[in-house]
Amino acid sequence: MTTARQIIALLKSHVARDDAQFFAVAMQVAAEEARAGHNKLAVEIRSLVDASRIRANAAPLRPSGPVPLVQPKGELAGILSARYPDLKLSDMVLDADLQTAIERVLSEQRQRERLVQHGLSPRRKLLLIGPPGAGKTMTAGALAGELRLPLFTVVLEGLISKFMGETAAKLRLVFEAMRETKGVYFFDEFDAIGSKRADRHDVGEIRRVLNSFLQLMEADESEGLVVCATNHPELLDTALFRRFDDVISYSLPVRPDIERLLKARLATFKKTKFDWSKVAAFAEGLSHADLARAAQDAAKTALLVGDGRITAKILKAAIADRRRAHQS
């Protein structure tokens, strides 16, 4: 059945002259009417949308430009931070399996309407697991950048409350925002929400928050992406895993990936000739984020202290600095 929120969304998109959003909401209404058994009404709505799209010469529902960035207001302003990432998948250095998994998500999202026409749903609920600095946060940004969607990052300090029931209420606000504004919604440090319900330190609030999240995820049929990331998958409740379309694992880069990452980060800088494989071997054990920072530090040193050229010595020194930073 059509909800008041959908009617408001239709009116807002009409006032804003956002035909793509108007058509998208109308198709959501048609889908809900079909699920309610009102097939004749659903067909009529779809026919009207198709006729309007033809008249307006609007081929896909997806707008040609990025989805307008609506800054969270009111209570949501303390829960969500919004931005447009200037990131592409090509900016990342990923192993073959990881690259394939993310490209599959992008492919299904870009061909969403084709899948929906055949009663299928694109992947849109993702759980990213792996060590710190392995590229999970960057993946959320790359998905938003590739799909030209805003990235909404859930601010844990604003979401999690010491008052009973307040965190679950704030979670509902986030999922309501998903229905209103299409985007990539990123829950980092997800184990803070999804911890096991059997935890011996749980006084009941963790159970309530987790149950709320499970229910909201189950009911969510918005068009954006929900991306959750954790460094500690072992802490997550097992019931969570089946709520996601994909669980994608990250790991620290191996030598060939390290070499590719360093070369990509330093592609625009002058370099002396040196054995990249030896530098990559020296950098083993560092994360993607540490390697990116080491490359940046090496470039700064070459420009400000050296003759502008990056040498193996400068690069190794920057790598060693990053390793010491973790040991201190």
Side-chain angles (χ1 to χ4, degrees), residues 93-100 249-252 254 257 260 288:
V93 175
L94 305 168
D95 65 49
D97 290 341
L98 199 51
Q99 182 93 13
T100 299
S249 298
Y250 291 69
S251 59
L252 295 177
V254 294
D257 294 332
R260 284 197 300 132
H288 289 77

Side-chain angles (χ1 to χ4, degrees), residues 108-109 111-122:
E108 291 188 9
Q109 282 293 318
Q111 300 181 75
R112 178 184 181 280
E113 284 122 35
R114 185 178 180 186
L115 293 174
V116 171
Q117 286 172 4
H118 291 81
L120 301 171
S121 300

